[in-house]
């Protein structure tokens, strides 16, 4: 099992944004919606800030 580092967990209007790092897959984000859906993409980010910025944009635009 590879180690995972969670950098941010943010709750906005009942949606949870998680920014995390895994070896080989760099930084990513996932959003857990207030209804339980899990959203994100397999795109890689080279910093936690970049993944956080994109996740916040998803929250603003998609949900």
């Amino acid at each position: 099992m590879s180690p995972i580092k969670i950098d941010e967990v943010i709750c906005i209007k009942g949606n949870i944004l998680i920014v995390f790092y895994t070896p080989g897959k760099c930084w990513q984000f996932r959003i857990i919606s207030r209804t339980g859906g899990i959203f994100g993409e397999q795109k890689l980010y080279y910093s936690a800030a970049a993944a956080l910025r994109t996740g916040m944009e998803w929250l603003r635009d998609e949900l």
Side-chain angles (χ1 to χ4, degrees):
M1 183 159 87
S2 64
I4 297 173
K5 176 186 177 188
I6 296 176
D7 189 69
E8 296 272 351
V9 177
I10 300 171
C11 184
I12 300 174
K13 295 183 181 178
N15 301 299
I16 299 170
L17 170 62
I18 302 169
V19 175
F20 60 96
Y21 178 86
T22 58
K25 296 198 180 200
C26 297
W27 291 97
Q28 295 185 30
F29 72 91
R30 293 295 182 274
I31 297 170
I32 303 171
S33 73
R34 64 182 149 239
T35 59
I38 300 174
F39 301 91
E41 54 190 3
Q42 294 295 318
K43 189 172 180 181
L44 306 179
Y45 300 92
Y46 293 102
S47 71
L52 176 62
R53 183 173 47 252
T54 304
M56 294 294 283
E57 289 172 5
W58 269 54
L59 279 174
R60 185 186 69 231
D61 297 338
E62 300 292 329
L63 301 177

